[in-house]
Amino acid sequence: MVRITHIGGPTALIEVGGWRLLTDPTFDPAGGSYRFGWGTGSEKLTEPAIAADQLGEIDAVLLSHDHHEDNLDAAGRALLPACGTVLTTQAGARRLGGDGVRARGLAPWTSTTLERDGRTPIEVTATPCRHGPPLSHPIVGDVVGFALRWEGQQEGVLWISGDTVLYDGVREVARRLDVGTAVLHLGGVRFPISGPLRYTLNGEEAVELSRLVQPRTIVPIHYEGWKHFREGRADAETAFAAAPELAERVRWLELGVPADL
């Protein structure tokens, strides 16, 4: 059984087989303003549902990317030295390594294994992301998602999409992986300076991606808590309602409340 607690934005606690894994740590208080570069920025609108000092032990962090503060803010960064292994992009591992942070960098479709005495090992495979429109990589940088596989898994891998739009790299997940649970970063991120260009999945793309991947369970995150998230839960619910074969698979998690999947 897998237990997931959505803490806010892209941050979730995943518990399985004694492991406690944290995605994209964001624990700053509400009200802060952030600049992401190239004229983009945002404001944090809500508090994390669980404070950083209430987390308990974290065995590993699954960090899609380190260079945007809506995925790793100051309070989240301060947690990393005490969090065991940090799995992230290769560039991110180079930036984060040292100062007590044990970072491992993964290129898309490369794998590493989390191991600890008395626990079932977890194989973690990085999956492709493109955090924006075509040709945006020099601006937005490297991002990865994560596919988690362990012995005894019943319904396919647990896949965390990371911040991405729908493109061929993400479609490759459908061809290469049998996905049991898909944790999808939504939000339809846009910025005034780049007009209609998007930097994460919107509801329609999430539906299209889910039709390709065919997960047994769909868990939306990264749709609330920040000003630059342009599509909230209601928008995604409308999109999934138009796909009744998928709507019954969507599991909305109450912030701060553990959910068994």
Side-chain angles (χ1 to χ4, degrees), residues 186 202-208 211 231-247 250 252:
L186 305 184
N202 63 7
E204 290 183 0
E205 284 192 336
V207 167
E208 184 178 348
R211 282 176 168 151
E231 284 200 7
R233 173 171 173 170
D235 301 292
E237 285 182 322
T238 298
F240 277 108
E245 77 280 12
L246 296 175
V250 179
W252 294 97

Side-chain angles (χ1 to χ4, degrees), residues 10 24-26 63-65 68-73 163 185 222:
D24 287 2
T26 54
L63 178 59
S64 65
H65 57 303
H68 292 156
E69 288 170 300
D70 61 321
N71 296 85
L72 181 67
D73 60 18
D163 283 9
H185 288 210
H222 194 277

Side-chain angles (χ1 to χ4, degrees), residues 162-193:
D163 283 9
T164 188
V165 295
L166 183 61
Y167 79 115
D168 286 346
V170 178
R171 292 186 182 97
E172 193 176 358
V173 171
R175 297 191 291 268
R176 297 181 63 156
L177 298 177
D178 176 25
V179 177
T181 298
V183 179
L184 299 183
H185 288 210
L186 305 184
V189 166
R190 290 184 288 112
F191 299 100
I193 195 170

